[in-house]
Amino acid sequence: MPQLLKRLAFQVGSVPNERTTTFTSISNDGHHISLRPLVNLNSTSEEEFPFEWVFAGLNTGVRVVPISEGVVEQDFNFWLDTNCYLNLPNTHRGEVKTIWTQWDSGSVAENGEVFPNGPDNPGVPFFELWHPLDPNRVEQVLLNDPLTTAEATKARSIVFKVREGQGYDGLVIVTGRWAQGFLSKQGDATVDGLNFLRTIELEDGSREALVLYGSDAEKFPQEYLGYESGAHVEVHGLKWDVIESN
Amino acid sequence: MPQLLKRLAFQVGSVPNERTTTFTSISNDGHHISLRPLVNLNSTSEEEFPFEWVFAGLNTGVRVVPISEGVVEQDFNFWLDTNCYLNLPNTHRGEVKTIWTQWDSGSVAENGEVFPNGPDNPGVPFFELWHPLDPNRVEQVLLNDPLTTAEATKARSIVFKVREGQGYDGLVIVTGRWAQGFLSKQGDATVDGLNFLRTIELEDGSREALVLYGSDAEKFPQEYLGYESGAHVEVHGLKWDVIESN
């Protein structure tokens, strides 16, 4: 089923916090985008790039290994990653191993370790707490009763991917009313080449942009009705293929 | 404003978890009830008493001290407390000092220390993470945008207290659509003397009981329309005074 996970807490070191409005969209087929905009900007670098991190991955980049009841290992090789794109020093490269533990409350705890100083140096453990939201709702409705869960399993799941050979990489994932997108210009390696999208379909069918970032953001598909898998659409000169649609 | 706080995480020791569906109701005037039912029962003692803890307090039992921007100290002396009522060994007695820190995400982190082995022995630090819900909604809607917050400030806030001299102690707090109650029989000191209530007013105006626990639970007021402060109601022989109504 498509999922819209909201991050409740993030911890590196001894003190948890949550400075972002982070949502991870996961499509039916397991493609994913995690968009992590900061709520308040406390430094010049945060004003220049108001995101903690953004990444996107295809289902071919995730390996899921059941560990025990309610516990799975998920190993990620991201496709698009702002840390890599911007060549940020002291940030992790390559596969990230994570353990996901289901709590009775319906939240899911993620524990992992990153190696910002390379695989030969000590790693840094991190903890993230997530809770599924009902992707069919405009508000942030926590998903943990059978009624809303049943409705949520039938949510729309559509994935657009930029067609190769145009000088861009990009992915848009639509889960229910929520859409998130990552679009980067190849070879730029600065914040000027990055574009992000978060929209929500309101009750009247119109779309509100919660995040519309970057000079190429107009190239994101923002209408999602009637697309079958295998279809394509051109938006302001950029061709996108529909690689999944339920 | 009346508040309905949902606990997202609880931590004693190195690993956080959340095994309950905990809501804390806080009335306009600062009376409060925290009802912490376990989701899954893993032991005989949990089956005998399926709550992590329940407590209730009057506003006279809370001292709030501003510390810095977004940080307040709150020192609690609970009025009703299942640990005290049941004379549970190795549980805290007396004032609990806590520090509440507002996060950018809208969640609130509570840090405190309890002294289960008495004030002369080392304390045990704890951490709880809370998020305000919209008390006017049937679902668990996270409250962190201006629109829902404005609506929530106008939520109903009504408090019932058992009149003295009847052999019971009890409090019911209504915040928006949600009501929580604590009722204990004086001098019993076993689980047989404890009663708890959590109800929600559905869209059609009817009330669904999410928690209705104890042999005296029928004595809880369960209709909340038209009560002014100073009014009273008798429910199955038990008199309740309305000590607050907005």
Side-chain angles (χ1 to χ4, degrees), chain B residues 216-237:
Chain B
D216 283 322
E218 64 177 14
K219 298 184 195 297
F220 281 116
Q222 290 198 47
E223 295 295 333
Y224 310 118
L225 287 178
Y227 285 107
E228 301 291 324
S229 183
H232 56 88
V233 60
E234 184 171 325
V235 187
H236 284 274

Side-chain angles (χ1 to χ4, degrees), chain B residues 138 177 200-208 223 225:
Chain B
V138 174
R177 291 181 178 270
I200 182 170
E201 182 191 337
L202 304 179
E203 300 288 351
D204 67 2
S206 67
R207 286 214 155 249
E208 182 183 349
E223 295 295 333
L225 287 178

